[in-house]
Amino acid sequence: LTGSPYPSALFNAIMLRIRADREINYCKSSIIKAYLSRKYRSQEKYKEVLVMSLNEQSTNRAYVLGRLFAVLEKAQKDASDGNLNTTIKDRYFSSACATPANVFPILLRLAQHHISKSDYGYQTDKKIEQIMNLLDVENNPIPTHLSLEEQGIFALGYYHQRNAEYTSKKVN
């Protein structure tokens, strides 16, 4: 009501819940966005990722890694026809969020297997390539750790990309 920043305990609780559930929904992403927006309202920090929907031009590393994780998850789902006991999200989400340098090389190797099995593998491979170009890993390696705020940005990137993947395109 006063316009002051939201308590960090709220943000910490949401991040703990996301890691425990490995599920990001509209409410959780809204709280992350609101917390970061209020905290950094007088600065330009994170402005490019605190938007309503997917920002494909953002080069924020945590946001782009979240997007990449969503695309890798979709590649796995496309390759398996939905017959999965556990997904990469179930196994790797928490560690990808906190220590991406340890997890993403494994996920990218798995993705090549999934792409080869998928009917839409070419499209997925192009999307992964576009996102990897934003990361520019040759000049800037994948970070070994992400701060708690960066983990929130990762979650937003994941949420935005996942929603973009599953929304139907309107045809005129």
Side-chain angles (χ1 to χ4, degrees):
L1 294 174
T2 64
S4 61
Y6 292 114
S8 59
L10 173 66
F11 180 72
N12 293 340
I14 289 297
M15 292 308 297
L16 285 172
R17 184 76 347 233
I18 287 172
R19 274 193 235 111
D21 296 345
R22 291 180 296 278
E23 185 60 42
I24 303 165
N25 58 28
Y26 175 77
C27 291
K28 291 175 187 172
S29 66
S30 296
I31 291 171
I32 291 169
K33 183 180 167 204
Y35 171 82
L36 293 171
S37 293
R38 283 256 178 114
K39 184 173 181 180
Y40 295 107
R41 101 179 89 190
S42 63
Q43 303 170 15
E44 293 295 313
K45 190 172 186 178
Y46 303 134
K47 186 177 181 176
E48 68 183 44
V49 297
L50 298 175
V51 293
M52 292 298 289
S53 61
L54 180 64
N55 181 356
E56 293 180 335
Q57 277 67 49
S58 174
T59 57
N60 180 293
R61 298 184 66 68
Y63 187 80
V64 175
L65 287 169
R67 290 185 56 210
L68 179 60
F69 191 88
V71 170
L72 296 174
E73 179 190 24
K74 182 143 182 357
Q76 182 189 35
K77 286 181 181 179
D78 288 347
S80 69
D81 297 325
N83 300 326
L84 295 170
N85 292 331
T86 59
T87 64
I88 64 169
K89 184 170 89 172
D90 298 330
R91 285 199 178 159
Y92 295 107
F93 185 82
S94 295
S95 52
C97 196
T99 57
N102 295 339
V103 176
F104 275 95
I106 296 166
L107 295 178
L108 290 167
R109 276 194 304 274
L110 286 172
Q112 292 310 308
H113 173 69
H114 298 140
I115 288 167
S116 68
K117 289 175 56 178
S118 174
D119 295 336
Y120 307 105
Y122 176 75
Q123 292 173 339
T124 304
D125 196 34
K126 295 250 332 149
K127 194 169 288 188
I128 290 170
E129 182 183 339
Q130 290 170 346
I131 293 172
M132 291 297 291
N133 286 339
L134 288 173
L135 282 173
D136 189 27
V137 291
E138 300 202 359
N139 298 324
N140 239 346
I142 294 175
T144 55
H145 293 87
L146 295 178
S147 69
L148 192 59
E149 287 180 357
E150 289 173 324
Q151 290 177 38
I153 299 291
F154 178 97
L156 283 177
Y158 172 80
Y159 178 76
H160 286 163
Q161 184 69 44
R162 195 184 71 203
N163 280 354
E165 293 287 333
Y166 291 107
T167 54
S168 61
K169 308 262 189 236
K170 291 182 180 179
V171 179
N172 291 335

